[in-house]
Amino acid sequence: MADHIVPTIALNNAVHIPQLGFGTFQIPPEDTKAAVTTALEAGYRHIDTAQMYGNEKQVGEAVRESGIPRSEFFVTSKLNNPFHAPADAVEAVSTSIDALDLGPLDLYLIHWPLPEVGDFVETWRALEGEHKAGKARAIGVSNFQQAHLERLLAETEVVPAVNQIEVHPYFQQSPLRAFNREHGIVTEAWAPLGQGAVLDDEVLAAVGSEVGRSVAQVTLRWHLQRGDVVFPKSSTPARAAENFALFDFALSDEQMSRVDALDADRRLGPNPDEFNRV
Ligand code: NAD
């Protein structure tokens, strides 16, 4: 399967991001190279990793050894929580670049705002400097609430290219997604399958039987049609391929509405206003 079937979205700085990627959270380093290699064979060219995941080195090895030109890839990494102090953040960018060994990063994110740890505005200014120095083609944030974004918009220069937040049918984040959109910030939906929580849903199963697709495919297609970027994780080759086969069917408006109606304000991960663990 070819990468060109994945649509790209223009970020606010002319960089384009493939709308579908491969997530690597909780893939142990010893399994990462094989999982990413399988994903590349299935057609994925966008990989989401983070220093916190401990597998950047193995992501880089899989990409480098694939024989596919670097220019065809989009690789994201994220600032680990202990390194929010500006000098530490600058060093952390280089640490990620060295671990991946793929040249400049395509996208680099503040992983969590940690509102009671240091000052994320100062951290963001450090990343602005690294962006201007060419270390990352785009910079963005993750798990930022509206109030956190409002501070960046008021006090800094570069508007984040993306906000990577928890979004799935049971936690749809409509107000924050709308705020992102109004400010030209692309929403990336982490845990697009609710880390597996949505897979037994009867409504999703019913829609799946109407379109002849699995619950995972219906859910991922719903995200794509809403305009978000997704990178489901699976180290099972057949599932990684299943999650990539999203471009030869579509959900009707009525089917989209039935998934919209599943919203239950059910957050699975930490609340970013309260999460301050370093
Ligand atoms: P996910 O919603 O992608 O779900 C992954 C789970 O679903 C795994 O247990 C997997 O085995 C299962 N699964 C995947 N495809 C399946 C299929 N076709 N059929 C049946 N089961 C399937 O959850 P995630 O991995 O937490 O999120 C995706 C990515 O988002 C991560 O890998 C990571 O890159 C990113 N992420 C970011 C943050 C953040 O704070 N920024 C937090 C969590 C995840």
Side-chain angles (χ1 to χ4, degrees), residues 23-25 48 53 142-143 164 190-191 193 195 233 242-243:
T24 63
F25 178 45
D48 184 85
Y53 304 166
S142 178
N143 300 301
Q164 183 179 126
W190 69 250
L193 302 172
Q195 297 181 330
K233 170 246 156 183
E242 176 186 328
N243 296 344

Side-chain angles (χ1 to χ4, degrees), residues 6 18-23 44-48 229-233:
V6 177
Q19 202 186 357
L20 175 65
F22 184 73
Y44 294 87
R45 295 291 179 270
H46 165 187
I47 313 292
D48 184 85
V229 172
V230 283
F231 24 81
K233 170 246 156 183

Side-chain angles (χ1 to χ4, degrees), residues 20-98:
L20 175 65
F22 184 73
T24 63
F25 178 45
Q26 289 176 331
I27 304 185
E30 61 273 21
D31 298 338
T32 299
K33 190 171 163 187
V36 173
T37 299
T38 303
L40 302 185
E41 285 164 7
Y44 294 87
R45 295 291 179 270
H46 165 187
I47 313 292
D48 184 85
T49 183
Q51 189 180 37
M52 196 188 290
Y53 304 166
N55 56 20
E56 290 169 306
K57 180 171 180 283
Q58 293 76 14
V59 167
E61 283 170 2
V63 169
R64 282 199 315 280
E65 292 174 24
S66 70
I68 301 162
R70 168 69 178 95
S71 58
E72 291 186 22
F73 287 100
F74 192 99
V75 179
T76 300
S77 195
K78 316 186 190 85
L79 177 68
N80 204 355
N81 292 340
F83 305 123
H84 271 219
D88 293 345
V90 166
E91 200 179 319
V93 173
S94 292
T95 304
S96 282
I97 289 175
D98 290 349

Side-chain angles (χ1 to χ4, degrees), residues 199-271:
L199 294 172
D200 295 326
D201 188 273
E202 287 176 9
V203 172
L204 296 172
V207 174
S209 66
E210 288 162 24
V211 295
R213 296 296 173 135
S214 70
V215 167
Q217 288 172 318
V218 165
T219 307
L220 295 169
R221 183 71 209 182
W222 170 80
H223 284 285
L224 295 180
Q225 288 184 214
R226 296 169 99 214
D228 292 353
V229 172
V230 283
F231 24 81
K233 170 246 156 183
S234 177
S235 22
T236 308
R239 287 180 176 168
E242 176 186 328
N243 296 344
F244 193 80
L246 305 176
F247 303 103
D248 56 351
F249 76 105
L251 303 181
S252 67
D253 290 346
E254 187 270 333
Q255 289 165 331
M256 288 292 290
S257 302
R258 275 151 65 201
V259 183
D260 292 345
L262 295 176
D263 199 5
D265 201 23
R266 197 169 131 199
R267 191 192 281 282
L268 300 172
N271 182 332

Side-chain angles (χ1 to χ4, degrees), residues 48-54 56 75-97 100 105 107-114 117-128 130 136 138-144 152 162 164 188 275 277-278:
D48 184 85
T49 183
Q51 189 180 37
M52 196 188 290
Y53 304 166
E56 290 169 306
V75 179
T76 300
S77 195
K78 316 186 190 85
L79 177 68
N80 204 355
N81 292 340
F83 305 123
H84 271 219
D88 293 345
V90 166
E91 200 179 319
V93 173
S94 292
T95 304
S96 282
I97 289 175
L100 283 157
L105 298 157
L107 178 61
Y108 191 74
L109 312 180
I110 300 182
H111 206 145
W112 287 89
L114 309 177
V117 180
D119 180 2
F120 58 75
V121 173
E122 289 301 324
T123 312
W124 182 250
R125 290 200 181 107
L127 296 197
E128 286 181 327
E130 295 308 279
I139 52 174
V141 294
S142 178
N143 300 301
F144 272 47
L152 293 188
V162 310
Q164 183 179 126
E188 296 191 327
F275 180 78
R277 199 171 59 224
V278 171

